[in-house]
Each structure stands twice: as structure tokens, then as C-alpha cells.
């Protein structure tokens, strides 16, 4: 496991926020025009710290967020949610709409095979208190498993889908949140099989692929899935493996989506909270024994026809 307490070499001023994950980077004005050495240093800091934070980036427009993002990889729009008007790929999460509250532990878009490698999130409107985000280091979670559980995890495969039982996960969802889930988020249903443990393509670390899109373990009953998932996921959610970020407007958080899960704390009631995300194309995960994830099903639901 990389050591989060060792600062990233120059030219970046990276200060760890928690012992196992997260660093704040000072003195960088994010833009599409940053020198290549700074971009390389940002990527190195990301691999080491898993999530990095930049304060005071209020100069960023949607366009400049996209321009900066393309320096770290290829923009990929969300597979089912339309990009914000005037952008090619920005996903807006607005607490006033059905899409706005990501209050379940997840890794972004794991219902497709080559899910994004990096997500870049900009705080646009932030409540005075509440609405923090928590990230977990899934390499640290894997490392903290007992040896026998590591071996079990190494051999498990999970089915991930965006067409899960929404009401079971969010029994208190509003009618608008349910409508959005049915008509937009899961309008095209994906099912993808991932190894529970992937080998990180850049660091070689073993990381866990779990989170709320995981619905079954291949070859296990639903009941066994629930027990085993709860056990493995508990290492992800262990507070020692996490960092919590108190947002200010203009903050940017960048996470390695291959080595983290995150959770948007839903404690701010009906206050407005708006964040905007870009995601960068990832590669197909590879298991510890060299097998690759595969999308087994993609179904686009027929729109209801007029009688
Ligand atoms: O609202 C947040 O802080 C995080 C939302 C989320 O899950 C994401 O942007 O991928
Ligand atoms: Fe997310």
C-alpha cells in the first residue's frame, strides 16, 4: 500500500488530510493550460493519496473544468444521464432534483465494464453546514482484510447493475427521485460482472470493487451475498480507511475511481447543494488471475406508447 503520510515530491504542495487517504494541494490554479510537469505531478499525487482537494478554484467555468479534465484523460459522459446543457460531459448533481443526492457508498458507474478511472467534482453551491463527502481507500480496505478473507475476495466475482431495487435502497426517496431513477438513471439497464478484487493498472495495488451497484456474487445465493458483501464492505466503510471533506464553493475534488468509494452525506435537508462532475474514461478491470470484467447485458426499456 502506498503511504499517504509521505508528501508528494515537488512541484506540488500536498498536505495529507487523513492518515490513509486524501491530501489538500495548495498553490495550483487548475486550468487546461497547466504545464505538463504539473499535470504529471497531479496524477502522481492522485495515485498516492486516492483523492486530492483544491480550494478556491472559483475561476473555473464548465468549459474550463472540461478543458482541465482532458489533460488527465478522455472525457466520458455518463451512460444514462444527459450532460448539462452547453457541455459535452458534465454531470450536474443538484439536491433539488431527482439526481442530486448520492447518499449510498459507491464507486462511480461500476455497472459498465470500463468504468471511469477518475472523477473530478467542483463545488458550485454548498450549504453553510452539512453536505460533506466521504471517500474510502479501497486498497487500504483490501490490505486490512485478514489473509483468508483476502483469498476469498480474490476469487469472488460480482454482478453490478444500475437497475437495482431503488425502493429497497432508498425507502424514503421522493416521488421525483423514484421517477428520475426509473425514467432516466436506469432507462438503459446494464449488468456487468467484475472481480471483487482488481489489480490497479497504474500502481499494481489490489483494490476492492464493491459499492451499491453490486447486487449478487456469481455462484452465491442472495442471502449469502448479503452476508459476505456486508463483511467485505465493512472494511471499506471503516472510518480509519476514510477521509471526510467539508466543502466550500470553488473546491475541486479529484478521485481515483479505481481505488476509492465515496458517499455524499445527506444531512442538509432542503437546502440547495449543487456540484458538477466530469469523468475520464477507464480501462476494463483485470482480476488477480488475469481475467477481465465483462458487460453481460444491456437493455433499453421501451418507452410507453400512447393507447
Ligand atoms: O455530491 C457529492 O459530493 C458526490 C456525488 C457523487 O457521488 C459523484 O459526484 O460521483
Ligand atoms: Fe459518485
Amino acid at each position: 500500500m502506498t503511504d499517504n503520510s509521505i508528501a508528494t515530491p515537488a512541484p506540488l504542495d500536498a498536505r495529507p488530510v487523513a492518515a490513509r487517504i486524501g491530501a489538500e494541494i495548495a498553490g495550483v490554479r487548475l486550468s487546461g493550460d497547466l504545464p505538463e510537469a504539473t499535470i504529471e505531478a497531479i496524477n502522481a499525487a492522485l495515485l498516492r493519496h486516492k483523492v486530492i482537494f483544491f480550494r478556491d478554484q472559483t475561476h473555473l467555468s464548465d468549459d474550463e473544468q472540461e478543458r482541465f479534465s482532458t489533460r488527465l484523460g478522455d472525457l466520458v459522459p455518463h451512460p444514462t444521464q444527459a450532460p448539462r446543457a452547453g457541455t459535452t460531459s458534465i454531470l450536474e448533481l443538484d439536491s433539488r432534483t431527482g439526481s442530486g443526492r448520492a447518499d449510498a457508498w459507491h464507486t462511480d458507474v461500476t455497472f459498465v465494464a470500463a468504468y471511469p478511472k477518475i472523477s473530478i467534482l467542483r463545488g458550485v453551491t454548498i450549504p453553510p453546514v452539512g453536505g460533506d463527502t466521504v471517500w474510502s481507500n479501497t486498497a487500504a480496505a483490501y490490505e486490512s482484510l485478514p489473509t483468508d478473507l483476502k483469498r476469498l475476495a480474490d476469487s469472488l466475482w460480482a454482478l453490478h447493475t444500475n437497475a437495482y431495487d431503488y425502493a429497497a435502497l432508498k425507502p424514503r426517496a421522493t416521488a421525483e427521485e423514484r421517477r428520475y431513477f426509473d425514467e432516466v438513471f436506469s432507462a438503459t439497464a446494464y449488468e456487468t460482472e467484475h472481480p471483487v478484487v482488481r489489480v490497479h493498472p497504474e500502481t499494481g495495488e489490489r483494490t476492492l470493487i464493491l459499492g451499491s451497484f453490486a447486487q449478487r456474487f456469481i455462484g452465491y445465493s442472495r442471502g449469502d451475498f448479503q452476508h459476505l458483501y456486508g463483511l467485505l464492505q465493512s472494511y471499506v466503510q471503516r472510518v480509519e480507511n476514510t477521509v471526510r471533506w467539508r466543502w466550500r464553493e470553488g473546491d475541486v475534488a479529484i478521485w481515483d475511481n479505481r481505488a476509492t468509494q465515496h458517499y455524499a452525506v445527506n444531512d442538509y435537508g432542503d437546502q440547495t447543494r449543487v456540484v458538477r462532475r466530469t469523468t475520464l474514461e477507464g480501462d476494463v478491470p483485470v482480476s488477480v488471475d488475469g481475467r477481465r470484467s465483462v458487460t453481460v447485458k444491456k437493455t433499453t426499456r421501451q418507452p410507453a406508447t400512447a393507447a
Side-chain angles (χ1 to χ4, degrees):
M1 198 193 314
T2 51
D3 184 349
N4 193 53
S5 64
I6 299 169
T8 307
L12 285 190
D13 175 8
R15 302 168 192 171
V17 181
R20 296 190 187 158
I21 175 171
E24 181 179 338
I25 295 183
V28 176
R29 187 179 195 271
L30 298 177
S31 90
D33 301 318
L34 282 171
E36 189 52 34
T38 308
I39 294 294
E40 281 170 19
I42 288 173
N43 196 55
L46 186 60
L47 294 176
R48 179 185 292 273
H49 301 289
K50 315 298 194 238
V51 55
I52 51 179
F53 307 104
F54 299 80
R55 292 280 195 202
D56 303 323
Q57 306 294 320
T58 46
H59 61 280
L60 283 178
S61 59
D62 290 347
D63 188 49
E64 199 59 29
Q65 181 177 350
E66 288 193 320
R67 282 189 68 235
F68 163 70
S69 300
T70 59
R71 299 292 307 282
L72 289 167
D74 296 326
L75 287 173
V76 59
H78 192 275
T80 59
Q81 298 172 270
R84 177 174 153 75
T87 74
T88 58
S89 71
I90 286 188
L91 178 70
E92 180 169 87
L93 292 104
D94 182 331
S95 61
R96 296 164 297 186
T97 72
S99 68
R101 298 176 195 249
D103 54 345
W105 279 101
H106 66 284
T107 294
D108 290 333
V109 203
T110 58
F111 48 87
V112 303
Y115 62 83
K117 66 171 185 170
I118 292 172
S119 295
I120 300 169
L121 191 65
R122 174 164 61 106
V124 175
T125 304
I126 301 296
V129 66
D132 297 357
T133 307
V134 184
W135 285 264
S136 169
N137 178 341
T138 57
Y142 176 82
E143 274 309 315
S144 51
L145 292 172
T147 306
D148 290 342
L149 270 186
K150 275 186 189 156
R151 215 170 288 144
L152 172 62
D154 286 345
S155 70
L156 283 174
W157 282 67
L159 184 78
H160 291 238
T161 180
N162 59 330
Y164 54 85
D165 184 348
Y166 185 74
L169 186 72
K170 295 199 178 185
R172 299 179 66 186
T174 63
E176 170 55 14
E177 284 169 337
R178 274 197 303 274
R179 184 203 66 78
Y180 188 89
F181 180 82
D182 290 341
E183 294 178 13
V184 181
F185 191 79
S186 63
T188 298
Y190 293 85
E191 290 189 359
T192 294
E193 293 178 4
H194 288 296
V196 164
V197 180
R198 75 177 288 188
V199 180
H200 193 291
E202 291 189 70
T203 65
E205 290 175 305
R206 294 183 179 195
T207 66
L208 293 170
I209 316 178
L210 293 168
S212 59
F213 299 121
Q215 296 292 310
R216 306 287 291 255
F217 287 142
I218 310 302
Y220 285 77
S221 69
R222 189 171 293 280
D224 285 349
F225 167 78
Q226 279 159 354
H227 289 296
L228 273 176
Y229 178 86
L231 178 59
L232 294 171
Q233 178 69 14
S234 72
Y235 286 82
V236 175
Q237 294 176 210
R238 212 167 253 199
V239 178
E240 286 79 0
N241 292 329
T242 69
V243 64
R244 179 170 179 141
W245 187 248
R246 167 88 282 264
W247 289 91
R248 296 201 307 242
E249 285 172 15
D251 286 358
V252 171
I254 307 179
W255 60 95
D256 183 343
N257 198 48
R258 301 159 294 191
T260 52
Q261 280 187 31
H262 54 280
Y263 182 106
V265 180
N266 187 6
D267 61 352
Y268 52 95
D270 58 7
Q271 297 179 85
T272 302
R273 180 179 184 278
V274 179
V275 291
R276 293 190 192 143
R277 187 181 93 188
T278 46
T279 37
L280 303 178
E281 196 156 4
D283 38 28
V284 178
V286 178
S287 69
V288 300
D289 59 356
R291 292 156 60 210
R292 293 157 63 86
S293 303
V294 54
T295 295
V296 291
K297 195 164 145 196
K298 177 181 166 183
T299 322
T300 302
R301 220 198 338 244
Q302 297 301 312
T305 49

